[in-house]
């Protein structure tokens, strides 16, 4: 007998309409993300600005709505002025976060231009490590003020007549982390972030600001950090950030697949702290979440220790993702969707070459990593109204997690088409699971397609030699009878069941 699970969805039981920015991503001045990643002027497929068109084509396919830039840890040593103006005059710097050489050939204006070309909104982080209020007020005058002042006129001199009008800004990066250049206590950072936010809003009141939360749920200061930082910044910011990377370090698949349970707890805890500060302040305002770094990151940790310092674009953080990583990324996406009412922005970290769904060869081609596919499916079919899932699933225990659902699933009702998509992961290692979906108050359905990502080898990866070893097929088995949908979820699989309503 196959195992069975049940999913109950009702069109009246909604979590929220998705903010499309939950399918955002991130490009840092790190390794080959920029140089030989998105920017390679002498590549045969480079456009007139040196941007790789083959890479842009995949980013457009992913429909990435927002890209965070320029870091990451990099931003805490960033002198934004180095990265604008005539390229020949830009300084080469020792970049301390990743101990690389930064040539500044690609800078702030190039990023904005690139982001516009790929159809993504820019999300720019400012340096609150080595710098502060002064540099922040200047960069926003440069990017967002129309003209007639020192910094805005400098932008015009640099060839950008119209202001960039960058809407979303991050107040530093991972300031709770001892590894951060200019690391601060929550009190120090909270005060600085509040004053910086006030100054930036004086220049442009229409911006949105993200204040730094914890770098992961394992941080010893987690939760106290959020409470203290928000107690200083609550009235001046819109979002608090979360960062989390997962990895199968112990080669224990059962534990690895359950790690997103902890991500779910992390999100709930951050919401609780936000609302605690809201209550303490008797505020009417709600702080939303920006999960602006999330992914799997562990494969490259050892090899990165061998990298020569002070070189340009070293091969840092080049994780080659396996099939099991794609399942975890799928589970992470379902977890984000479950909190669509509070998560407004999320950035898969990162986008190209550095812990990324897209890999390039310098002078050569481009390929899709395994994690590309769940990200692509969710971005393409996961926009609309997220329905509150009730799941009855068999469970499993690991040495670290108890009663983990073998099936995770979520349904998203499209706003544009009479369509609904169910995303589901089967965590079971030895058997398919028949998922019975009871879909209430939505009318009748017919199947458009059932996409499946599955593989016999959990460690299978897409390499330069074998770029299509792991890719989805559309032969998934789903039976639809009016409002009952029976989907067969193969053992260890990511599933996208696309339904048309009539
Ligand atoms: O994304 C890689 C790094 O991870 C970022 O620079 C930093 O913010 C985080 O620790």
């Amino acid at each position: 007998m196959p195992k069975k699970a049940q999913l109950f969805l009702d069109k009246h039981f909604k979590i929220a309409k998705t903010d499309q920015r939950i399918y955002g991503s991130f490009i840092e001045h790190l390794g080959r993300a920029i140089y030989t990643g998105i920017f390679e002027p002498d590549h045969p497929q480079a456009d007139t600005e040196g941007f790789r068109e083959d890479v842009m084509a995949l980013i457009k396919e992913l429909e990435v709505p927002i890209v965070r830039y320029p870091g990451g840890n990099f931003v805490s040593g960033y002198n934004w002025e180095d990265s604008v103006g005539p390229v020949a005059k830009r300084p080469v710097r020792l970049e301390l976060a990743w101990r690389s050489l930064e040539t500044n050939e690609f800078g702030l204006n190039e990023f904005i231009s690139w982001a516009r070309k790929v159809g993504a909104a820019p999300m720019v982080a400012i340096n609150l490590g080595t710098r502060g209020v002064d540099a922040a007020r200047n960069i926003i005058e440069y990017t967002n003020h129309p003209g007639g002042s020192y910094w805005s006129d400098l932008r015009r001199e640099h060839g950008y007549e119209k202001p960039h009008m960058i809407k979303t800004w991050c107040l530093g990066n991972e300031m709770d982390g001892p590894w951060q250049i200019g690391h601060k206590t929550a009190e120090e950072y909270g005060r600085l972030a509040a004053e910086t936010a006030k100054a930036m809003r004086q220049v442009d009141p229409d911006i949105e600001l993200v204040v730094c939360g914890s770098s992961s749920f394992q941080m010893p200061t987690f939760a106290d950090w959020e409470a203290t930082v928000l107690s200083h910044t609550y009235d001046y910011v819109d979002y608090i950030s979360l960062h989390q990377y997962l990895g199968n370090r112990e080669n224990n698949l059962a534990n690895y697949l359950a790690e997103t349970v902890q991500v779910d707890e992390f999100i709930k805890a951050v919401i609780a702290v936000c609302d605690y500060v809201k209550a303490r302040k008797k505020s009417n305002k709600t702080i939303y979440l920006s999960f602006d770094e999330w992914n799997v990151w562990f494969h490259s940790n050892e090899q990165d220790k061998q990298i020569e310092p002070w070189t340009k674009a070293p091969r840092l953080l080049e994780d080659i993702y396996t099939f099991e990583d794609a399942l975890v990324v799928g589970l992470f996406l379902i977890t984000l969707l479950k909190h669509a009412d509070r998560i407004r922005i999320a950035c898969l970290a990162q986008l190209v070459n550095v812990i990324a769904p897209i890999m390039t060869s310098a002078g050569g081609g481009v390929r899709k990593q395994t994690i590309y596919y769940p990200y692509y499916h969710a971005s393409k079919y996961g926009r609309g109204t997220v329905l509150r899932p009730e799941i009855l699933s068999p469970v499993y225990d690991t040495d670290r997690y108890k009663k983990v659902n073998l099936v995770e699933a979520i349904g998203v009702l499209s706003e544009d088409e009479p369509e609904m998509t169910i995303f589901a992961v089967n965590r079971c290692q030895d058997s398919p699971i028949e998922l019975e979906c009871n879909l209430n108050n939505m009318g009748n359905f017919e199947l458009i397609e059932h996409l499946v990502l599955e593989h016999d080898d959990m460690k299978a990866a897409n390499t330069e030699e074998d770029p299509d070893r792991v890719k989805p097929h559309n032969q998934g088995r789903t039976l639809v009878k009016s409002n009952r949908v029976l989907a067969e979820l193969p053992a260890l699989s990511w599933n996208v069941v696309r339904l048309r309503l009539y």
Side-chain angles (χ1 to χ4, degrees):
M1 285 288 280
K3 289 194 169 86
K4 287 180 194 288
Q6 281 183 295
L7 169 69
F8 298 89
L9 297 173
D10 184 311
K11 86 164 179 208
H12 298 300
F13 299 160
K14 300 169 181 172
I15 296 178
K17 190 169 172 314
T18 51
D19 185 319
Q20 59 158 354
R21 296 174 301 171
I22 62 169
Y23 301 117
S25 191
F26 175 31
I27 284 280
E28 178 167 1
H29 280 260
L30 193 187
R32 299 194 306 117
I34 292 173
Y35 306 112
T36 73
I38 63 172
F39 179 73
E40 195 176 343
D42 50 11
H43 190 277
Q45 300 222 35
D47 72 4
T48 51
E49 292 183 276
F51 307 151
R52 278 185 66 161
E53 284 180 329
D54 52 349
V55 177
M56 286 199 284
L58 290 190
I59 295 168
K60 286 184 197 161
E61 182 177 86
L62 287 168
E63 296 179 39
V64 181
I66 191 165
V67 179
R68 184 166 173 257
Y69 172 88
N73 296 339
F74 168 84
V75 82
S76 296
Y78 176 53
N79 292 338
W80 70 269
E81 305 87 337
D82 292 350
S83 81
V84 296
V87 175
K89 290 199 176 148
R90 297 185 194 169
V92 176
R93 297 270 187 200
L94 289 190
E95 196 291 285
L96 303 191
W98 304 103
R99 306 191 74 224
S100 309
L101 265 197
E102 176 53 58
T103 61
N104 285 303
E105 288 154 84
F106 183 101
L108 184 58
N109 292 313
E110 287 79 19
F111 171 70
I112 302 293
S113 177
W114 174 85
R116 303 271 185 249
K117 281 187 179 172
V118 297
M123 176 179 184
V124 174
I126 56 153
N127 175 356
L128 290 188
T130 60
R131 306 189 80 183
V133 184
D134 195 41
R137 70 172 175 151
N138 294 344
I139 188 176
I140 192 168
E141 180 183 319
Y142 181 91
T143 58
N144 285 22
H145 195 67
S149 67
Y150 177 78
W151 292 107
S152 58
D153 284 346
L154 189 63
R155 181 201 68 241
R156 292 164 72 203
E157 241 175 67
H158 290 163
Y160 300 86
E161 180 57 33
K162 288 207 177 120
H164 297 315
M165 299 316 293
I166 298 167
K167 185 155 178 81
T168 313
W169 297 82
C170 304
L171 295 164
N173 176 70
E174 295 190 348
M175 297 309 301
D176 63 324
W179 59 86
Q180 202 66 215
I181 306 166
H183 164 231
K184 292 176 175 52
T185 65
E187 284 288 343
E188 291 164 345
Y189 171 67
R191 289 279 304 121
L192 178 61
E195 292 308 316
T196 308
K198 280 157 63 183
M200 291 178 78
R201 284 197 195 282
Q202 289 285 79
V203 180
D204 183 352
D206 296 329
I207 55 171
E208 294 186 320
L209 292 169
V210 185
V211 74
C212 290
S214 294
S215 306
S216 74
F217 55 67
Q218 291 93 345
M219 292 302 289
T221 48
F222 170 55
D224 283 341
W225 172 273
E226 279 75 1
T228 306
V229 165
L230 284 175
S231 73
H232 289 290
T233 58
Y234 202 90
D235 294 335
Y236 311 115
V237 303
D238 305 283
Y239 309 96
I240 188 157
S241 72
L242 295 82
H243 289 182
Q244 190 65 48
Y245 293 99
L246 305 178
N248 192 1
R249 292 194 174 76
E250 303 155 349
N251 202 13
N252 178 330
L253 185 59
N255 272 336
Y256 186 37
L257 294 175
E259 280 189 354
T260 49
V261 173
Q262 233 177 347
V263 174
D264 192 62
E265 293 300 324
F266 183 32
I267 295 168
K268 287 182 189 151
V270 174
I271 293 171
V273 178
C274 291
D275 292 349
Y276 156 71
V277 181
K278 177 180 185 171
R280 225 178 49 189
K281 288 187 175 283
K282 301 186 172 52
S283 174
N284 290 326
K285 176 179 172 183
T286 299
I287 297 288
Y288 290 91
L289 275 47
S290 171
F291 211 132
D292 47 42
E293 284 189 34
W294 70 270
N295 201 348
V296 169
W297 173 17
F298 73 108
H299 294 284
S300 59
N301 292 168
E302 282 310 307
Q303 81 208 28
D304 283 352
K305 294 180 186 155
Q306 315 302 323
I307 299 274
E308 269 300 297
W310 317 128
T311 58
K312 182 186 166 189
R315 288 187 163 273
L316 276 168
L317 278 67
E318 298 209 6
D319 277 42
I320 302 302
Y321 290 116
T322 60
F323 168 66
E324 66 187 25
D325 300 326
L327 291 183
V328 169
V329 164
L331 287 161
F332 214 128
L333 287 158
I334 292 174
T335 310
L336 295 174
L337 282 166
K338 280 188 186 165
H339 295 282
D341 52 341
R342 288 301 282 271
I343 302 178
R344 293 268 168 97
I345 303 173
C347 303
L348 176 70
Q350 299 191 13
L351 189 53
V352 181
N353 287 336
V354 169
I355 44 173
I358 299 170
M359 295 300 287
T360 68
S361 312
V366 62
R367 67 178 196 278
K368 299 173 181 176
Q369 294 237 53
T370 60
I371 63 166
Y372 184 97
Y373 295 105
Y375 179 43
Y376 168 67
H377 291 148
S379 177
K380 197 162 175 59
Y381 304 119
R383 298 175 193 220
T385 300
V386 187
L387 301 178
R388 190 167 299 289
E390 276 307 321
I391 300 174
L392 296 179
S393 165
V395 294
Y396 73 106
D397 289 343
T398 76
D399 52 359
R400 277 205 257 130
Y401 304 95
K402 302 293 166 220
K403 293 200 166 54
V404 179
N405 276 351
L406 283 175
V407 172
E408 287 292 356
I410 194 100
V412 183
L413 208 46
S414 166
E415 301 272 310
D416 309 322
E417 308 288 339
E419 286 181 15
M420 183 165 83
T421 301
I422 294 169
F423 300 101
V425 171
N426 178 1
R427 289 183 170 116
C428 184
Q429 301 198 27
D430 47 35
S431 131
I433 296 185
E434 191 179 84
L435 179 66
E436 182 185 326
C437 311
N438 298 281
L439 311 169
N440 296 316
N441 293 314
M442 281 182 263
N444 294 326
F445 290 92
E446 64 188 13
L447 183 69
I448 302 172
E449 61 179 345
H450 175 171
L451 300 160
V452 184
L453 192 66
E454 58 180 332
H455 209 281
D456 297 339
D457 179 358
M458 299 308 291
K459 306 295 180 193
N462 294 340
T463 56
E464 233 174 310
E465 300 70 44
D466 196 355
D468 290 322
R469 184 147 180 239
V470 180
K471 64 175 187 185
H473 64 77
N474 64 359
Q475 303 302 305
R477 290 212 289 248
T478 288
L479 281 176
V480 183
K481 276 196 197 138
S482 65
N483 69 346
R484 271 182 78 235
V485 173
L486 276 182
E488 187 183 309
L489 312 179
L492 296 168
S493 61
W494 159 257
N495 300 266
V496 183
V497 179
R498 297 184 56 221
L499 302 164
R500 185 174 295 112
L501 281 92
Y502 64 92

